[in-house]
Amino acid sequence: MKIIVDAFGGDHAPLAVIEGCRQAVDELGAEILLTGDEEKIRQAAAEAKISLDGMEIVHAPSVIPVEEDPTTLLKKYADSSMAVGLRLLSEGKGEAFVSAGSTGALVVGSTLIVKRVKGVRRIAIGTLVPNAGAGYLLVDAGANHDCRPEMLLQFALMGSAYMEKVQGIPKPRVGLVNIGTEENKGTQLQLDVLPLLKEAPIHFTGNVEARGLPLGEVDVAVTDGFTGNIILKTTEGMGKFFSNELKSMVKSFPGVLGGLLLAGKFGALKKKSDSNEAGGAPLLGLRKPVIKAHGSSNAKAFKNAIRQAMTCHQNNMVGLIEEYMESYRAAEAAAKAEAAAGEEEAQ
Amino acid sequence: MKIIVDAFGGDHAPLAVIEGCRQAVDELGAEILLTGDEEKIRQAAAEAKISLDGMEIVHAPSVIPVEEDPTTLLKKYADSSMAVGLRLLSEGKGEAFVSAGSTGALVVGSTLIVKRVKGVRRIAIGTLVPNAGAGYLLVDAGANHDCRPEMLLQFALMGSAYMEKVQGIPKPRVGLVNIGTEENKGTQLQLDVLPLLKEAPIHFTGNVEARGLPLGEVDVAVTDGFTGNIILKTTEGMGKFFSNELKSMVKSFPGVLGGLLLAGKFGALKKKSDSNEAGGAPLLGLRKPVIKAHGSSNAKAFKNAIRQAMTCHQNNMVGLIEEYMESYRAAEAAAKAEAAAGEEEAQ
C-alpha cells in the first residue's frame, strides 16, 4: 500500500518526516511516495544516515507558506510539496496523503484537488482528543466556523464512520455538544440539528455537555468549527497546566521518588495525552483519505499518521461515508417529494 | 454590613447555608439577613446546634424549583426565598444578595427586581476559573447565548471592573476569546467587537486563544454565553479527569507515600481547583451585587460567597460599572452625533 507524504510540512521537516517514513516502511510495511525538493530530501537523509529504501521521491521544488492564501495552491504554489502530493493522490498514485503543512491550504487544496464525496457539503477536520477512555473524535475541530444544521448532521455521519472503521469501535456513541442535555437547550443551530441527528443511521446519544467529553461520555462529539477549536484549545491548555503542576509536584520529592513517579503512572498519563501517539487529524468527506499531521510532529507522530492513513484505506472508511451520503441524499429526496406531494394535496 | 442570603438555595440547604452564615458572622463580621421558611431554618439550626446570633430571618415560605419558568418568580413564586431576598435587596434592606438557587431564575429575577445599571443591555454571569495564575474571570459564563457586539463590549467593561475592585488586580488584562490571536480570526461577532474593545477604557490585550486561559494569559476572558459554557464545562471535565488520574496514581504508591503526596503539592493543586474556595459567580450589570453560589456549595463555599459579596460592596464595584456605562453612553452619543453631522455635510 502506497502512502503519499509531504516531506516539507511541519516544524521539523524534512528530517522528522523522513525518519517517520523510515519507521513506517520498516515497522508497518508501508510504501512511501515523498513529495518535496528531491536534492534537499536526499541530502537530509544522507546527513542523518537514513536509508531511503522503500521510498520514492516526486520532486516538488516549493513549499506553501502558512500565511499564504490557501487558494494559491492551485497556481502560484502548484509545484509545492503539498499540491503535488494532492494531485498524485487524486490521480491514484497512492492510497492516502499525509501532510503537516498549513491546515487552511490542506483543507482548501484537498477540497479542490482530491474532491468531496458526492453529497458532502463541506469537509471537516476530525481530531482524536485523549480522555478517560480511548479518546473521542471532535468534529469539526476547526475547518468551518459558521455551520448550517445539515453540515453538522454530515459531520456526525463522517465522524461515526471514522471511529467505526479506523478506531474499530463497533457502534460509536455520537453526541451533539451543547450547554445542557435537555432537548430545549442551545442556540438555533443545536435546536435545528437535533431532530436530524435522531433520524440519522448512527448511534446518536443526544446532547452532551462539554464536561462529559474528557470523562468519556461519547466517541464522537459533533459541533461547529468555532466551538470545536475552543474545546480543543481549552483541553490543550488544561493539559499543559496540569502537566506543569505535576512536574513541580514531582520536583518537590527527593530524587528516587521523583523518578518513580515519572516512571509510573505519570508516564502513563503523559502517554495518554501525548499528541505524537495519536497520529494526525483526518480530513473527513474527501474521496481519498487525507491526514493532517500536527505542525510539531516528530518522527513517531509521522509514523503514527501514516499508520492511520493505512487503516483508513484498509478498512475503506471512505466507502462507509459514501454509503451514508447515498442514504442521506435518498432521505433528502424523499423528504422533498413528500413536501411537494403535501403541497399538491393542500391545493 | 448586611448581606441577604437565600437559605433555601443549593443541594445542601438550609444546613450548609446556615453553617456558612455562622462562619461569616464569626470570621468576617458580617450581618446576615436569611430568607426562607423561618420554622425550618430554626429547626435545622437547633438540630445542628448552630447559634443564629447575628442573623435575622425574613420568612419566605416557598422555594422556586430549578425546572420552573424563571418569570414565575414575580407572581407564582413571589413568596419564595429567592424573590423575597431580591426584593429586600432592591429596597435597601441589605447591601448584597447571595443565592445558590436556580441560575435562570436568579438572572431573570435580579434583572426584573434589582434592575440593571443604566445603559447595561444584558446582565452577565462572571465565573472565576482557577488556572496557573490567580484565576481568570470568564464572562459571560452562560446567561446570554446569542450576543451582539455591544453586549460583549459591556461584558468586558463589567468583567474588568469586577477583577479590579473585587480581586484587587490594578489593570486587569482583558482578552477576547477567539480561534487565533490574529485580528482577522473568528466569526462576525469577534470581528465586529474587536475595534470596540480596542477603544474601550480598559486594558484590552487583544484576541486570546482558549489554550491561553488555563495558562494565565488574561485576567478577564470575554465571550458569548454559549462559548462561555463550553469553556467552563470543558475546564471542569478536564479537572475531574486529571483528579481521577491523580487519585489512581496516588493509590499505586504504598500508604505513607500516598499520604505524603496527598498532603503535599497534590493538596495545593486540589485547593487551587476547588470551587468551594472561590465563592460564587457574580451577576454583573445589576444596581446591587448579586452572587450566584454553586448548587453544590458547602458551608465554606457559602462563607466565601458572602465574603465576595462584602468585597463587592466595600470596594464599590457597581460604582465603577456605572462610571464605565456613563462613558460608554457618552461615546455612543458622540458617535451618533458625528454620524448625523456627517450625513448633514454629505447632503
PDB file of all heavy atoms in Angstrom, chain A residues 5-9 13-15 17-18 33-45 52 56-64 79-82 84-85:
ATOM      1  N   VAL A   5       3.461  11.206   1.133  1.00  0.00           N
ATOM      2  CA  VAL A   5       3.781  12.011   2.309  1.00  0.00           C
ATOM      3  C   VAL A   5       4.465  13.318   1.881  1.00  0.00           C
ATOM      4  O   VAL A   5       5.428  13.302   1.104  1.00  0.00           O
ATOM      5  CB  VAL A   5       4.705  11.230   3.283  1.00  0.00           C
ATOM      6  CG1 VAL A   5       5.036  12.088   4.506  1.00  0.00           C
ATOM      7  CG2 VAL A   5       4.048   9.914   3.718  1.00  0.00           C
ATOM      8  N   ASP A   6       3.955  14.418   2.406  1.00  0.00           N
ATOM      9  CA  ASP A   6       4.517  15.762   2.168  1.00  0.00           C
ATOM     10  C   ASP A   6       5.790  15.893   3.012  1.00  0.00           C
ATOM     11  O   ASP A   6       5.723  15.980   4.234  1.00  0.00           O
ATOM     12  CB  ASP A   6       3.460  16.790   2.591  1.00  0.00           C
ATOM     13  CG  ASP A   6       3.940  18.233   2.488  1.00  0.00           C
ATOM     14  OD1 ASP A   6       5.134  18.450   2.181  1.00  0.00           O
ATOM     15  OD2 ASP A   6       3.116  19.134   2.722  1.00  0.00           O
ATOM     16  N   ALA A   7       6.952  15.895   2.332  1.00  0.00           N
ATOM     17  CA  ALA A   7       8.225  15.906   3.076  1.00  0.00           C
ATOM     18  C   ALA A   7       8.532  17.269   3.678  1.00  0.00           C
ATOM     19  O   ALA A   7       9.418  17.399   4.517  1.00  0.00           O
ATOM     20  CB  ALA A   7       9.366  15.477   2.162  1.00  0.00           C
ATOM     21  N   PHE A   8       7.782  18.314   3.254  1.00  0.00           N
ATOM     22  CA  PHE A   8       8.123  19.662   3.725  1.00  0.00           C
ATOM     23  C   PHE A   8       7.023  20.330   4.540  1.00  0.00           C
ATOM     24  O   PHE A   8       6.907  21.543   4.551  1.00  0.00           O
ATOM     25  CB  PHE A   8       8.585  20.528   2.548  1.00  0.00           C
ATOM     26  CG  PHE A   8       9.986  20.183   2.134  1.00  0.00           C
ATOM     27  CD1 PHE A   8      10.244  19.136   1.252  1.00  0.00           C
ATOM     28  CD2 PHE A   8      11.062  20.846   2.703  1.00  0.00           C
ATOM     29  CE1 PHE A   8      11.536  18.783   0.916  1.00  0.00           C
ATOM     30  CE2 PHE A   8      12.359  20.496   2.369  1.00  0.00           C
ATOM     31  CZ  PHE A   8      12.599  19.464   1.477  1.00  0.00           C
ATOM     32  N   GLY A   9       6.218  19.496   5.235  1.00  0.00           N
ATOM     33  CA  GLY A   9       5.220  20.058   6.151  1.00  0.00           C
ATOM     34  C   GLY A   9       5.697  19.901   7.583  1.00  0.00           C
ATOM     35  O   GLY A   9       6.314  18.891   7.934  1.00  0.00           O
ATOM     36  N   ALA A  13      10.538  19.526   9.414  1.00  0.00           N
ATOM     37  CA  ALA A  13      10.718  18.968   8.065  1.00  0.00           C
ATOM     38  C   ALA A  13      12.090  19.383   7.513  1.00  0.00           C
ATOM     39  O   ALA A  13      12.592  20.437   7.860  1.00  0.00           O
ATOM     40  CB  ALA A  13       9.603  19.489   7.146  1.00  0.00           C
ATOM     41  N   PRO A  14      12.707  18.581   6.635  1.00  0.00           N
ATOM     42  CA  PRO A  14      12.202  17.267   6.208  1.00  0.00           C
ATOM     43  C   PRO A  14      12.681  16.104   7.095  1.00  0.00           C
ATOM     44  O   PRO A  14      12.210  14.994   6.932  1.00  0.00           O
ATOM     45  CB  PRO A  14      12.800  17.119   4.808  1.00  0.00           C
ATOM     46  CG  PRO A  14      14.122  17.823   4.910  1.00  0.00           C
ATOM     47  CD  PRO A  14      13.929  18.952   5.893  1.00  0.00           C
ATOM     48  N   LEU A  15      13.580  16.372   8.077  1.00  0.00           N
ATOM     49  CA  LEU A  15      14.209  15.249   8.770  1.00  0.00           C
ATOM     50  C   LEU A  15      13.206  14.362   9.531  1.00  0.00           C
ATOM     51  O   LEU A  15      13.229  13.124   9.386  1.00  0.00           O
ATOM     52  CB  LEU A  15      15.313  15.748   9.719  1.00  0.00           C
ATOM     53  CG  LEU A  15      16.145  14.633  10.348  1.00  0.00           C
ATOM     54  CD1 LEU A  15      16.826  13.784   9.284  1.00  0.00           C
ATOM     55  CD2 LEU A  15      17.171  15.186  11.332  1.00  0.00           C
ATOM     56  N   VAL A  17      10.115  14.002   9.025  1.00  0.00           N
ATOM     57  CA  VAL A  17       9.236  13.306   8.077  1.00  0.00           C
ATOM     58  C   VAL A  17       9.950  12.068   7.538  1.00  0.00           C
ATOM     59  O   VAL A  17       9.375  10.967   7.507  1.00  0.00           O
ATOM     60  CB  VAL A  17       8.848  14.240   6.902  1.00  0.00           C
ATOM     61  CG1 VAL A  17       7.821  13.545   5.999  1.00  0.00           C
ATOM     62  CG2 VAL A  17       8.297  15.568   7.407  1.00  0.00           C
ATOM     63  N   ILE A  18      11.210  12.256   7.133  1.00  0.00           N
ATOM     64  CA  ILE A  18      11.976  11.130   6.576  1.00  0.00           C
ATOM     65  C   ILE A  18      12.147  10.020   7.618  1.00  0.00           C
ATOM     66  O   ILE A  18      11.955   8.836   7.325  1.00  0.00           O
ATOM     67  CB  ILE A  18      13.361  11.618   6.081  1.00  0.00           C
ATOM     68  CG1 ILE A  18      13.183  12.687   4.986  1.00  0.00           C
ATOM     69  CG2 ILE A  18      14.199  10.458   5.563  1.00  0.00           C
ATOM     70  CD1 ILE A  18      14.475  13.409   4.610  1.00  0.00           C
ATOM     71  N   LEU A  33       5.646   7.470  -0.946  1.00  0.00           N
ATOM     72  CA  LEU A  33       5.920   8.389  -2.044  1.00  0.00           C
ATOM     73  C   LEU A  33       6.103   9.762  -1.411  1.00  0.00           C
ATOM     74  O   LEU A  33       5.143  10.366  -0.937  1.00  0.00           O
ATOM     75  CB  LEU A  33       4.707   8.405  -2.992  1.00  0.00           C
ATOM     76  CG  LEU A  33       4.900   8.851  -4.432  1.00  0.00           C
ATOM     77  CD1 LEU A  33       5.938   7.990  -5.133  1.00  0.00           C
ATOM     78  CD2 LEU A  33       3.571   8.747  -5.183  1.00  0.00           C
ATOM     79  N   LEU A  34       7.362  10.214  -1.354  1.00  0.00           N
ATOM     80  CA  LEU A  34       7.642  11.504  -0.717  1.00  0.00           C
ATOM     81  C   LEU A  34       7.554  12.625  -1.746  1.00  0.00           C
ATOM     82  O   LEU A  34       8.093  12.491  -2.850  1.00  0.00           O
ATOM     83  CB  LEU A  34       9.057  11.497  -0.140  1.00  0.00           C
ATOM     84  CG  LEU A  34       9.253  10.973   1.281  1.00  0.00           C
ATOM     85  CD1 LEU A  34      10.740  10.813   1.554  1.00  0.00           C
ATOM     86  CD2 LEU A  34       8.625  11.903   2.307  1.00  0.00           C
ATOM     87  N   THR A  35       6.921  13.734  -1.405  1.00  0.00           N
ATOM     88  CA  THR A  35       6.926  14.889  -2.302  1.00  0.00           C
ATOM     89  C   THR A  35       7.733  16.015  -1.669  1.00  0.00           C
ATOM     90  O   THR A  35       7.653  16.258  -0.473  1.00  0.00           O
ATOM     91  CB  THR A  35       5.495  15.406  -2.585  1.00  0.00           C
ATOM     92  OG1 THR A  35       4.909  15.838  -1.354  1.00  0.00           O
ATOM     93  CG2 THR A  35       4.619  14.327  -3.183  1.00  0.00           C
ATOM     94  N   GLY A  36       8.535  16.684  -2.505  1.00  0.00           N
ATOM     95  CA  GLY A  36       9.341  17.791  -1.997  1.00  0.00           C
ATOM     96  C   GLY A  36      10.609  17.932  -2.815  1.00  0.00           C
ATOM     97  O   GLY A  36      10.842  17.179  -3.774  1.00  0.00           O
ATOM     98  N   ASP A  37      11.428  18.875  -2.432  1.00  0.00           N
ATOM     99  CA  ASP A  37      12.691  19.148  -3.127  1.00  0.00           C
ATOM    100  C   ASP A  37      13.596  17.920  -3.016  1.00  0.00           C
ATOM    101  O   ASP A  37      14.110  17.604  -1.940  1.00  0.00           O
ATOM    102  CB  ASP A  37      13.344  20.380  -2.484  1.00  0.00           C
ATOM    103  CG  ASP A  37      14.565  20.830  -3.254  1.00  0.00           C
ATOM    104  OD1 ASP A  37      15.441  19.976  -3.541  1.00  0.00           O
ATOM    105  OD2 ASP A  37      14.651  22.026  -3.587  1.00  0.00           O
ATOM    106  N   GLU A  38      13.813  17.240  -4.145  1.00  0.00           N
ATOM    107  CA  GLU A  38      14.492  15.947  -4.118  1.00  0.00           C
ATOM    108  C   GLU A  38      15.914  16.049  -3.557  1.00  0.00           C
ATOM    109  O   GLU A  38      16.329  15.218  -2.747  1.00  0.00           O
ATOM    110  CB  GLU A  38      14.544  15.329  -5.532  1.00  0.00           C
ATOM    111  CG  GLU A  38      15.274  13.991  -5.552  1.00  0.00           C
ATOM    112  CD  GLU A  38      14.856  13.097  -6.713  1.00  0.00           C
ATOM    113  OE1 GLU A  38      14.104  13.565  -7.592  1.00  0.00           O
ATOM    114  OE2 GLU A  38      15.276  11.926  -6.730  1.00  0.00           O
ATOM    115  N   GLU A  39      16.630  17.095  -3.960  1.00  0.00           N
ATOM    116  CA  GLU A  39      18.012  17.231  -3.512  1.00  0.00           C
ATOM    117  C   GLU A  39      18.076  17.408  -1.995  1.00  0.00           C
ATOM    118  O   GLU A  39      18.893  16.785  -1.319  1.00  0.00           O
ATOM    119  CB  GLU A  39      18.654  18.436  -4.215  1.00  0.00           C
ATOM    120  CG  GLU A  39      20.149  18.308  -4.349  1.00  0.00           C
ATOM    121  CD  GLU A  39      20.736  19.565  -4.965  1.00  0.00           C
ATOM    122  OE1 GLU A  39      20.283  19.957  -6.059  1.00  0.00           O
ATOM    123  OE2 GLU A  39      21.631  20.170  -4.332  1.00  0.00           O
ATOM    124  N   LYS A  40      17.190  18.263  -1.501  1.00  0.00           N
ATOM    125  CA  LYS A  40      17.177  18.510  -0.045  1.00  0.00           C
ATOM    126  C   LYS A  40      16.812  17.250   0.736  1.00  0.00           C
ATOM    127  O   LYS A  40      17.338  16.991   1.809  1.00  0.00           O
ATOM    128  CB  LYS A  40      16.192  19.635   0.289  1.00  0.00           C
ATOM    129  CG  LYS A  40      16.710  21.016  -0.077  1.00  0.00           C
ATOM    130  CD  LYS A  40      15.797  22.107   0.464  1.00  0.00           C
ATOM    131  CE  LYS A  40      16.214  23.476  -0.072  1.00  0.00           C
ATOM    132  NZ  LYS A  40      15.098  24.435  -0.035  1.00  0.00           N
ATOM    133  N   ILE A  41      15.872  16.478   0.190  1.00  0.00           N
ATOM    134  CA  ILE A  41      15.466  15.241   0.866  1.00  0.00           C
ATOM    135  C   ILE A  41      16.656  14.275   0.920  1.00  0.00           C
ATOM    136  O   ILE A  41      16.980  13.727   1.981  1.00  0.00           O
ATOM    137  CB  ILE A  41      14.265  14.573   0.140  1.00  0.00           C
ATOM    138  CG1 ILE A  41      13.013  15.457   0.268  1.00  0.00           C
ATOM    139  CG2 ILE A  41      13.996  13.176   0.705  1.00  0.00           C
ATOM    140  CD1 ILE A  41      11.823  14.990  -0.554  1.00  0.00           C
ATOM    141  N   ARG A  42      17.321  14.105  -0.241  1.00  0.00           N
ATOM    142  CA  ARG A  42      18.447  13.153  -0.295  1.00  0.00           C
ATOM    143  C   ARG A  42      19.583  13.613   0.619  1.00  0.00           C
ATOM    144  O   ARG A  42      20.225  12.803   1.293  1.00  0.00           O
ATOM    145  CB  ARG A  42      18.956  13.010  -1.727  1.00  0.00           C
ATOM    146  CG  ARG A  42      17.931  12.360  -2.654  1.00  0.00           C
ATOM    147  CD  ARG A  42      18.550  11.641  -3.846  1.00  0.00           C
ATOM    148  NE  ARG A  42      17.509  11.058  -4.666  1.00  0.00           N
ATOM    149  CZ  ARG A  42      16.936   9.872  -4.421  1.00  0.00           C
ATOM    150  NH1 ARG A  42      17.340   9.148  -3.388  1.00  0.00           N
ATOM    151  NH2 ARG A  42      15.984   9.399  -5.207  1.00  0.00           N
ATOM    152  N   GLN A  43      19.803  14.931   0.662  1.00  0.00           N
ATOM    153  CA  GLN A  43      20.866  15.478   1.494  1.00  0.00           C
ATOM    154  C   GLN A  43      20.574  15.250   2.985  1.00  0.00           C
ATOM    155  O   GLN A  43      21.430  14.797   3.752  1.00  0.00           O
ATOM    156  CB  GLN A  43      20.987  16.976   1.216  1.00  0.00           C
ATOM    157  CG  GLN A  43      22.324  17.567   1.647  1.00  0.00           C
ATOM    158  CD  GLN A  43      22.347  19.070   1.385  1.00  0.00           C
ATOM    159  OE1 GLN A  43      21.711  19.539   0.434  1.00  0.00           O
ATOM    160  NE2 GLN A  43      23.043  19.813   2.226  1.00  0.00           N
ATOM    161  N   ALA A  44      19.319  15.565   3.393  1.00  0.00           N
ATOM    162  CA  ALA A  44      18.943  15.395   4.798  1.00  0.00           C
ATOM    163  C   ALA A  44      19.053  13.934   5.211  1.00  0.00           C
ATOM    164  O   ALA A  44      19.537  13.606   6.309  1.00  0.00           O
ATOM    165  CB  ALA A  44      17.517  15.908   5.029  1.00  0.00           C
ATOM    166  N   ALA A  45      18.623  13.032   4.309  1.00  0.00           N
ATOM    167  CA  ALA A  45      18.687  11.594   4.609  1.00  0.00           C
ATOM    168  C   ALA A  45      20.144  11.137   4.734  1.00  0.00           C
ATOM    169  O   ALA A  45      20.494  10.399   5.660  1.00  0.00           O
ATOM    170  CB  ALA A  45      17.954  10.803   3.525  1.00  0.00           C
ATOM    171  N   LEU A  52      16.838   5.498   2.208  1.00  0.00           N
ATOM    172  CA  LEU A  52      15.576   5.844   1.564  1.00  0.00           C
ATOM    173  C   LEU A  52      14.959   4.626   0.854  1.00  0.00           C
ATOM    174  O   LEU A  52      14.040   4.780   0.044  1.00  0.00           O
ATOM    175  CB  LEU A  52      15.787   7.004   0.579  1.00  0.00           C
ATOM    176  CG  LEU A  52      16.130   8.357   1.228  1.00  0.00           C
ATOM    177  CD1 LEU A  52      16.463   9.406   0.162  1.00  0.00           C
ATOM    178  CD2 LEU A  52      14.977   8.866   2.088  1.00  0.00           C
ATOM    179  N   GLU A  56       9.953   6.375  -2.676  1.00  0.00           N
ATOM    180  CA  GLU A  56      10.179   7.088  -3.922  1.00  0.00           C
ATOM    181  C   GLU A  56      10.077   8.575  -3.633  1.00  0.00           C
ATOM    182  O   GLU A  56       9.418   8.977  -2.685  1.00  0.00           O
ATOM    183  CB  GLU A  56       9.075   6.770  -4.937  1.00  0.00           C
ATOM    184  CG  GLU A  56       9.104   5.396  -5.536  1.00  0.00           C
ATOM    185  CD  GLU A  56       7.819   5.185  -6.332  1.00  0.00           C
ATOM    186  OE1 GLU A  56       7.616   5.909  -7.336  1.00  0.00           O
ATOM    187  OE2 GLU A  56       7.009   4.339  -5.912  1.00  0.00           O
ATOM    188  N   ILE A  57      10.682   9.380  -4.471  1.00  0.00           N
ATOM    189  CA  ILE A  57      10.559  10.823  -4.312  1.00  0.00           C
ATOM    190  C   ILE A  57       9.971  11.407  -5.583  1.00  0.00           C
ATOM    191  O   ILE A  57      10.404  11.072  -6.693  1.00  0.00           O
ATOM    192  CB  ILE A  57      11.930  11.483  -4.039  1.00  0.00           C
ATOM    193  CG1 ILE A  57      12.545  10.899  -2.760  1.00  0.00           C
ATOM    194  CG2 ILE A  57      11.787  13.004  -3.911  1.00  0.00           C
ATOM    195  CD1 ILE A  57      13.989  11.320  -2.520  1.00  0.00           C
ATOM    196  N   VAL A  58       8.950  12.260  -5.452  1.00  0.00           N
ATOM    197  CA  VAL A  58       8.464  13.037  -6.589  1.00  0.00           C
ATOM    198  C   VAL A  58       8.870  14.487  -6.318  1.00  0.00           C
ATOM    199  O   VAL A  58       8.472  15.067  -5.314  1.00  0.00           O
ATOM    200  CB  VAL A  58       6.940  12.911  -6.767  1.00  0.00           C
ATOM    201  CG1 VAL A  58       6.457  13.833  -7.882  1.00  0.00           C
ATOM    202  CG2 VAL A  58       6.572  11.463  -7.076  1.00  0.00           C
ATOM    203  N   HIS A  59       9.685  15.005  -7.204  1.00  0.00           N
ATOM    204  CA  HIS A  59      10.258  16.337  -6.992  1.00  0.00           C
ATOM    205  C   HIS A  59       9.177  17.428  -6.994  1.00  0.00           C
ATOM    206  O   HIS A  59       8.321  17.475  -7.874  1.00  0.00           O
ATOM    207  CB  HIS A  59      11.295  16.635  -8.080  1.00  0.00           C
ATOM    208  CG  HIS A  59      11.981  17.954  -7.884  1.00  0.00           C
ATOM    209  ND1 HIS A  59      12.725  18.239  -6.759  1.00  0.00           N
ATOM    210  CD2 HIS A  59      12.031  19.076  -8.659  1.00  0.00           C
ATOM    211  CE1 HIS A  59      13.204  19.474  -6.846  1.00  0.00           C
ATOM    212  NE2 HIS A  59      12.796  19.999  -7.995  1.00  0.00           N
ATOM    213  N   ALA A  60       9.206  18.268  -5.969  1.00  0.00           N
ATOM    214  CA  ALA A  60       8.296  19.419  -5.871  1.00  0.00           C
ATOM    215  C   ALA A  60       9.114  20.515  -5.223  1.00  0.00           C
ATOM    216  O   ALA A  60       9.387  20.453  -4.029  1.00  0.00           O
ATOM    217  CB  ALA A  60       7.071  19.053  -5.022  1.00  0.00           C
ATOM    218  N   PRO A  61       9.533  21.520  -6.006  1.00  0.00           N
ATOM    219  CA  PRO A  61      10.555  22.446  -5.511  1.00  0.00           C
ATOM    220  C   PRO A  61      10.097  23.424  -4.440  1.00  0.00           C
ATOM    221  O   PRO A  61      10.903  23.852  -3.628  1.00  0.00           O
ATOM    222  CB  PRO A  61      10.983  23.201  -6.782  1.00  0.00           C
ATOM    223  CG  PRO A  61       9.854  23.044  -7.742  1.00  0.00           C
ATOM    224  CD  PRO A  61       9.207  21.731  -7.428  1.00  0.00           C
ATOM    225  N   SER A  62       8.804  23.816  -4.396  1.00  0.00           N
ATOM    226  CA  SER A  62       8.414  24.880  -3.455  1.00  0.00           C
ATOM    227  C   SER A  62       7.624  24.331  -2.261  1.00  0.00           C
ATOM    228  O   SER A  62       7.239  23.171  -2.213  1.00  0.00           O
ATOM    229  CB  SER A  62       7.612  25.970  -4.176  1.00  0.00           C
ATOM    230  OG  SER A  62       6.273  25.556  -4.342  1.00  0.00           O
ATOM    231  N   VAL A  63       7.418  25.223  -1.284  1.00  0.00           N
ATOM    232  CA  VAL A  63       6.622  24.895  -0.089  1.00  0.00           C
ATOM    233  C   VAL A  63       5.648  26.049   0.111  1.00  0.00           C
ATOM    234  O   VAL A  63       6.053  27.211   0.080  1.00  0.00           O
ATOM    235  CB  VAL A  63       7.525  24.779   1.165  1.00  0.00           C
ATOM    236  CG1 VAL A  63       6.672  24.504   2.412  1.00  0.00           C
ATOM    237  CG2 VAL A  63       8.574  23.694   0.984  1.00  0.00           C
ATOM    238  N   ILE A  64       4.363  25.760   0.322  1.00  0.00           N
ATOM    239  CA  ILE A  64       3.404  26.846   0.530  1.00  0.00           C
ATOM    240  C   ILE A  64       3.541  27.378   1.959  1.00  0.00           C
ATOM    241  O   ILE A  64       3.471  26.603   2.919  1.00  0.00           O
ATOM    242  CB  ILE A  64       1.952  26.419   0.202  1.00  0.00           C
ATOM    243  CG1 ILE A  64       0.999  27.614   0.406  1.00  0.00           C
ATOM    244  CG2 ILE A  64       1.502  25.234   1.029  1.00  0.00           C
ATOM    245  CD1 ILE A  64      -0.377  27.411  -0.193  1.00  0.00           C
ATOM    246  N   ASP A  79       3.482  23.848  -7.706  1.00  0.00           N
ATOM    247  CA  ASP A  79       4.629  22.937  -7.678  1.00  0.00           C
ATOM    248  C   ASP A  79       5.122  22.691  -6.239  1.00  0.00           C
ATOM    249  O   ASP A  79       6.231  22.231  -6.009  1.00  0.00           O
ATOM    250  CB  ASP A  79       5.770  23.507  -8.528  1.00  0.00           C
ATOM    251  CG  ASP A  79       6.322  24.797  -7.936  1.00  0.00           C
ATOM    252  OD1 ASP A  79       5.702  25.315  -6.968  1.00  0.00           O
ATOM    253  OD2 ASP A  79       7.363  25.277  -8.418  1.00  0.00           O
ATOM    254  N   SER A  80       4.274  23.014  -5.250  1.00  0.00           N
ATOM    255  CA  SER A  80       4.669  22.808  -3.844  1.00  0.00           C
ATOM    256  C   SER A  80       4.504  21.349  -3.456  1.00  0.00           C
ATOM    257  O   SER A  80       3.764  20.592  -4.089  1.00  0.00           O
ATOM    258  CB  SER A  80       3.825  23.688  -2.928  1.00  0.00           C
ATOM    259  OG  SER A  80       2.478  23.286  -2.996  1.00  0.00           O
ATOM    260  N   SER A  81       5.186  20.970  -2.384  1.00  0.00           N
ATOM    261  CA  SER A  81       5.145  19.573  -1.920  1.00  0.00           C
ATOM    262  C   SER A  81       3.714  19.153  -1.592  1.00  0.00           C
ATOM    263  O   SER A  81       3.330  17.998  -1.813  1.00  0.00           O
ATOM    264  CB  SER A  81       6.052  19.403  -0.702  1.00  0.00           C
ATOM    265  OG  SER A  81       5.701  20.344   0.310  1.00  0.00           O
ATOM    266  N   MET A  82       2.899  20.097  -1.091  1.00  0.00           N
ATOM    267  CA  MET A  82       1.523  19.757  -0.748  1.00  0.00           C
ATOM    268  C   MET A  82       0.655  19.588  -1.993  1.00  0.00           C
ATOM    269  O   MET A  82      -0.076  18.591  -2.129  1.00  0.00           O
ATOM    270  CB  MET A  82       0.906  20.828   0.164  1.00  0.00           C
ATOM    271  CG  MET A  82      -0.462  20.436   0.702  1.00  0.00           C
ATOM    272  SD  MET A  82      -1.295  21.797   1.569  1.00  0.00           S
ATOM    273  CE  MET A  82      -0.370  21.826   3.111  1.00  0.00           C
ATOM    274  N   VAL A  84       1.551  18.992  -5.096  1.00  0.00           N
ATOM    275  CA  VAL A  84       1.984  17.826  -5.880  1.00  0.00           C
ATOM    276  C   VAL A  84       1.452  16.539  -5.227  1.00  0.00           C
ATOM    277  O   VAL A  84       0.938  15.639  -5.904  1.00  0.00           O
ATOM    278  CB  VAL A  84       3.524  17.808  -6.025  1.00  0.00           C
ATOM    279  CG1 VAL A  84       3.993  16.471  -6.589  1.00  0.00           C
ATOM    280  CG2 VAL A  84       3.975  18.964  -6.906  1.00  0.00           C
ATOM    281  N   GLY A  85       1.532  16.469  -3.896  1.00  0.00           N
ATOM    282  CA  GLY A  85       1.038  15.296  -3.175  1.00  0.00           C
ATOM    283  C   GLY A  85      -0.450  15.091  -3.398  1.00  0.00           C
ATOM    284  O   GLY A  85      -0.911  13.971  -3.651  1.00  0.00           O
TER     285      GLY A  85
END
